[in-house]
Amino acid sequence: MNTSEGANFNLSALSNAALNEEARADLLNILKEKLQSLAADDVMENLSPIVRKRRHHDEIEARFFEEKAALEAKYEKEYQPLYAKRFDIVTGVLDVEGAKTEEAGENRGEAKDGEEKGVPNFWLVAMKNNEVVAEEISERDEGALKYLKDIKWCKVVEPKGFKLEFHFDTNPYFKNTVLTKMYHMVDENEPILEKATGTEIEWYPGNCLADKLVKKKAIKGLKNAKPITKTVESESFFNFFYPPEVPADGVQLDEETAEELQVEMEQDFDVGATIRDKIIPHAVSWFTGEAIHGDLDLFEDDDDDYDFFDDDDEDEEEVDGQQGEKPAECKQQ
């Protein structure tokens, strides 16, 4: 080994009989580093030029993603005071000029004379003005979404992914004050979804929006036949918290079922990513409608209709008065 090309050894640290322990450890470390360097050089020399270029590209890309993540984290911290101020204005803690309201700590959102403070229905209007999210909101959902006071998101390191948080005021629909949606990603740098999980919503009896009662006509010809009432899944924004279930490892799906699951997962991720990347950072622009025309080119027309009922249920009709008889609990479908 040519020591002029490697690290210089300190010969004065060697005794005539043997190396002392410190010198021996230094020598071993130097030898290991040199051997690793030579091995890497030999591997690179044996690679084709195309593979060597690809390796250099991957190294640069890895540095790019590392610096990108650090930059995003830096600016995300700078956004937080703006989001906090937006929350205070929307909920009536601050007025538009930034002054504290008199009863901010006690009756948030209401003035002494009962006049509404803050910005009523802020998040409901913002979401309805976005084409992707609006498709998920039914008319029945609006009453509950009026209690939505903030939406937040954060990156999750383990498992890789991100989490959405929907903060609600006390409301007559469910007990939860925060509903969460977690996206587990295969690779945080690529939009490859492994699975999604959501909060189990604690619905108050009779107010579950993710289910509804339907009445099926009685079978003709049967004596004393009565209409049959049953519970079916309802089209609702709150189904967002009951994402498609991914089968356990080793469970095989037929091709048609696998394709349907993939479409459902892609649609679910599209809604979550839209809320994270568009609604949360630009909520004011969506509320005022300014963002509608500016982002029209980002959406693709989707004319697919989804039928939640079997063909033999076409004669079903929704039971009048949804606040009547309903299951006490709304479970994941």
Side-chain angles (χ1 to χ4, degrees), residues 274-289:
T274 298
I275 292 172
R276 179 194 64 180
D277 299 334
K278 297 183 182 298
I279 301 296
I280 293 177
H282 307 293
V284 174
S285 296
W286 286 107
F287 176 79
T288 61

Side-chain angles (χ1 to χ4, degrees), residues 219-232:
I219 301 176
K220 295 179 179 179
L222 293 181
K223 188 177 181 180
N224 299 325
K226 296 181 179 180
I228 300 173
T229 301
K230 66 178 183 177
T231 303
V232 297

Side-chain angles (χ1 to χ4, degrees), residues 1 10 21 29 43 45 55 68 74 85 92 97 107 109 118 137 144-145 152 157 169 241 251 260 284 321:
M1 176 167 56
N10 185 0
E21 288 194 16
N29 288 333
V43 171
E45 287 178 3
R55 178 171 175 176
K68 177 186 175 185
K74 173 188 173 183
K85 185 174 182 180
E97 288 73 26
N107 300 317
I137 300 174
L145 290 175
K152 301 179 180 180
V157 178
D169 267 326
F241 300 98
V251 177
E260 289 177 356
V284 174

Side-chain angles (χ1 to χ4, degrees), residues 16-44:
N16 292 332
L19 293 168
N20 61 42
E21 288 194 16
E22 183 178 356
R24 184 181 296 129
D26 290 342
L27 179 59
L28 286 174
N29 288 333
I30 292 171
L31 287 171
K32 286 179 182 178
E33 291 175 3
K34 182 60 180 174
L35 288 172
Q36 289 173 353
S37 175
L38 290 172
D41 290 342
D42 289 341
V43 171
M44 287 297 291

Side-chain angles (χ1 to χ4, degrees), residues 17-308:
L19 293 168
N20 61 42
E21 288 194 16
E22 183 178 356
R24 184 181 296 129
D26 290 342
L27 179 59
L28 286 174
N29 288 333
I30 292 171
L31 287 171
K32 286 179 182 178
E33 291 175 3
K34 182 60 180 174
L35 288 172
Q36 289 173 353
S37 175
L38 290 172
D41 290 342
D42 289 341
V43 171
M44 287 297 291
E45 287 178 3
N46 292 328
L47 294 176
S48 68
I50 295 177
V51 176
R52 271 183 280 180
K53 288 180 180 179
R54 185 180 304 151
R55 178 171 175 176
H56 289 312
H57 177 275
D58 292 344
E59 291 172 352
I60 294 172
E61 186 175 54
R63 292 202 310 272
F64 163 73
F65 284 128
E66 184 179 348
E67 293 178 14
K68 177 186 175 185
L71 194 62
E72 287 177 342
K74 173 188 173 183
Y75 281 97
E76 193 59 36
K77 288 182 179 179
E78 295 190 22
Y79 289 137
Q80 294 312 309
L82 299 178
Y83 295 159
K85 185 174 182 180
R86 179 180 67 187
F87 171 81
D88 287 344
I89 293 174
V90 167
T91 56
V93 174
L94 294 178
D95 59 23
V96 178
E97 288 73 26
K100 288 277 186 180
T101 57
E102 295 181 3
E103 297 187 344
E106 299 177 4
N107 300 317
R108 177 175 293 167
E110 293 185 3
K112 290 181 178 180
D113 57 0
E115 179 187 352
E116 276 190 306
K117 299 290 289 185
V119 187
N121 307 330
F122 176 80
W123 289 101
L124 171 60
V125 173
M127 291 195 296
K128 287 187 66 178
N129 279 338
N130 179 279
E131 186 177 352
V132 173
V133 182
E135 290 182 356
E136 308 298 315
I137 300 174
S138 71
E139 186 176 349
R140 297 173 66 235
D141 295 325
E142 295 186 13
L145 290 175
K146 289 178 180 179
Y147 291 91
L148 180 58
K149 60 182 182 179
D150 202 7
I151 309 178
K152 301 179 180 180
W153 82 276
C154 64
K155 182 177 287 189
V156 178
V157 178
E158 189 60 41
K160 296 177 181 177
F162 66 94
K163 179 173 68 172
L164 296 170
E165 294 181 351
F166 297 75
H167 295 255
F168 285 84
D169 267 326
T170 303
N171 65 81
Y173 295 90
F174 45 80
K175 299 178 183 178
N176 315 66
T177 56
V178 181
L179 301 180
T180 63
K181 180 70 173 285
M182 173 71 185
Y183 287 94
H184 303 261
M185 311 302 294
V186 175
D187 186 342
E188 62 182 342
N189 297 319
E190 296 290 339
I192 303 174
L193 179 63
E194 180 181 356
K195 67 176 182 178
T197 55
T199 299
E200 183 70 24
I201 303 176
E202 300 179 64
W203 297 99
Y204 286 116
N207 286 345
C208 176
L209 297 172
D211 282 348
K212 68 178 179 181
L213 290 179
V214 293
K215 184 168 60 177
K216 192 171 183 179
K217 295 178 181 179
I219 301 176
K220 295 179 179 179
L222 293 181
K223 188 177 181 180
N224 299 325
K226 296 181 179 180
I228 300 173
T229 301
K230 66 178 183 177
T231 303
V232 297
E233 181 179 312
S234 173
E235 296 183 53
S236 170
F237 172 80
F238 292 94
N239 287 327
F240 177 70
F241 300 98
Y242 302 138
E245 285 193 41
V246 177
D249 293 339
V251 177
Q252 298 293 326
L253 299 177
D254 61 73
E255 185 176 351
E256 183 179 354
T257 303
E259 288 179 356
E260 289 177 356
L261 177 61
Q262 182 178 353
V263 169
E264 290 177 2
M265 292 180 66
E266 288 176 354
Q267 182 181 10
D268 180 69
F269 179 78
D270 189 25
V271 175
T274 298
I275 292 172
R276 179 194 64 180
D277 299 334
K278 297 183 182 298
I279 301 296
I280 293 177
H282 307 293
V284 174
S285 296
W286 286 107
F287 176 79
T288 61
E290 294 175 285
I292 297 175
H293 303 293
D295 278 8
L296 283 178
D297 58 328
L298 299 179
F299 304 118
E300 295 179 0
D301 291 331
D302 185 2
D303 295 326
D304 294 336
D305 293 322
Y306 297 91
D307 186 8
F308 294 96

